[in-house]
Amino acid sequence: MPELPEVEITKRGVAQHFEGQRLLKCTVREPRLRWPVQNTVLLCEGQVLVRVARRSKYMVMEFGPHALVVHLGMSGSMRIVEHGTAWEKHDHIEWQFDNKLLRYNDPRRFGSVEYAQALPGWQQTYPRFGRLGPEPFDPQFTPAALFEATRGKKVSIKALLLGGEAVVGVGNIYACEALFRSRIRPGKAAGRISRLQAHALHAAVVAVLGEAIERGGSTLRNFQAIDGELGHFQLHCDVYGREGQRCHRCGAVVKRRVMNQRSTFYCPGCQL
């Protein structure tokens, strides 16, 4: 599933190539995504793409008074194509700009493209953003805030990270890696995390997500940047996908267990 780093890479690519350009035409070839694509998305036609932003795992394309909120779902990606390029099997939506085309591809169709009226402050009231926590690179996300978010919580610390209320965008791969770096066992109850551990985990979350963005995200199946470049963070993981291999830090054998229906990788030797 594309997580925050992958969405950030997509956002930067769309901004670099299309910000400031006028949307000439929007073609919805397959409206049956996670939520049906409404005809209101066509209101963006004729408008200039003023800004491309991101909130958690959502990419926001702002066209003056109109906005499109895009979620890549489990298998979605966007790519630049030249005019006249044949549609691929899972291409569902196309945006035609002044120079090139932008297409949304999603084999499993769990993603979404939704319209929103871009009134002042609209993101604060937008339903999809209602329960989202702070961004990992936002000043509001502090070690103290993370520690406070763990108080009284019986769920595992990994589940808390994935939940998106303590901090957004920490998907499965990045949660495993951040917990390894901070030496915390994934199944440990969030409420038992010490203040010192919260500080270490905060630093690890910020570092892991920052490095993932620098490395183009993680490509496990479908994800690619809009220019076709594949991510390679997964090639540098300390524990994720390394079941049965030796820990780089202490030499113990990396283990895998299923938590909340997700594969969780950790080192039993140095994560306590």
Side-chain angles (χ1 to χ4, degrees):
M1 172 187 289
E3 304 289 356
L4 183 148
E6 290 76 46
V7 179
E8 178 67 21
I9 293 298
T10 301
K11 182 214 82 172
R12 293 182 183 185
V14 174
Q16 177 184 348
H17 290 277
F18 297 105
E19 262 188 4
Q21 291 193 35
R22 189 173 304 277
L23 177 63
L24 304 180
K25 186 176 182 180
C26 174
T27 302
V28 181
R29 184 173 178 239
E30 174 55 87
R32 295 174 299 170
L33 300 182
R34 183 174 185 180
W35 297 289
V37 181
Q38 304 296 323
N39 288 334
T40 47
V41 301
L42 303 181
L43 293 172
C44 298
E45 290 185 339
Q47 303 291 324
V48 172
L49 180 58
V50 178
R51 187 171 79 106
V52 186
R54 179 191 54 75
R55 180 65 174 108
S56 184
K57 301 174 189 177
Y58 294 90
M59 184 180 75
V60 180
M61 303 167 68
E62 294 186 359
F63 296 87
H66 311 291
L68 297 180
V69 180
V70 180
H71 196 289
L72 299 179
M74 296 288 290
S75 59
S77 63
M78 289 184 159
R79 75 183 193 282
I80 300 174
V81 297
E82 301 289 343
H83 289 277
T85 302
W87 290 80
E88 294 188 2
K89 181 178 179 180
H90 300 296
D91 286 344
H92 304 314
I93 301 178
E94 177 184 272
W95 293 273
Q96 179 181 342
F97 288 90
D98 296 336
N99 298 324
K100 295 184 180 181
L101 311 175
L102 178 66
R103 284 188 184 164
Y104 173 71
N105 182 285
D106 190 352
R108 300 182 68 179
R109 288 192 282 133
F110 285 166
S112 61
V113 177
E114 297 181 284
Y115 171 83
Q117 240 185 329
L119 300 173
W122 70 273
Q123 290 197 33
Q124 280 68 49
T125 59
Y126 188 66
R128 304 283 182 219
F129 302 162
R131 297 185 63 186
L132 295 177
E135 293 284 331
F137 306 115
D138 193 286
Q140 292 182 4
F141 180 57
T142 64
L146 178 59
F147 178 69
E148 185 61 31
T150 65
R151 296 306 84 196
K153 299 294 172 56
K154 296 181 179 179
V155 299
S156 70
I157 185 60
K158 187 189 175 199
L160 184 81
L161 290 176
L162 295 180
E165 293 185 23
V167 58
V168 299
V170 186
N172 194 42
I173 296 175
Y174 308 114
C176 290
E177 292 299 300
L179 288 167
F180 172 79
R181 292 192 186 190
S182 53
R183 297 176 179 263
I184 300 172
R185 188 74 63 99
K188 186 170 186 174
R192 295 181 58 206
I193 297 297
S194 69
R195 190 178 296 274
L196 189 62
Q197 287 178 314
H199 275 251
L201 182 56
H202 172 273
V205 164
V206 173
V208 164
L209 292 176
E211 289 172 24
I213 292 170
E214 290 179 4
R215 296 184 187 278
S218 299
T219 297
L220 299 182
R221 292 179 183 171
N222 304 95
F223 176 75
Q224 59 181 9
I226 68 169
D227 58 1
E229 188 74 21
L230 301 180
H232 53 94
F233 178 82
Q234 73 280 359
L235 302 178
H236 303 272
C237 289
D238 289 307
V239 286
Y240 189 87
R242 298 190 65 245
E243 179 186 13
Q245 299 180 46
R246 293 289 178 181
C247 171
H248 299 314
R249 188 163 56 202
C250 73
V253 176
V254 174
K255 291 189 176 182
R256 181 183 74 90
R257 60 176 290 197
V258 177
M259 297 175 58
N260 303 111
Q261 300 180 323
R262 306 297 298 275
S263 289
T264 300
F265 299 86
Y266 67 99
C267 173
C270 55
Q271 286 180 258
L272 306 176

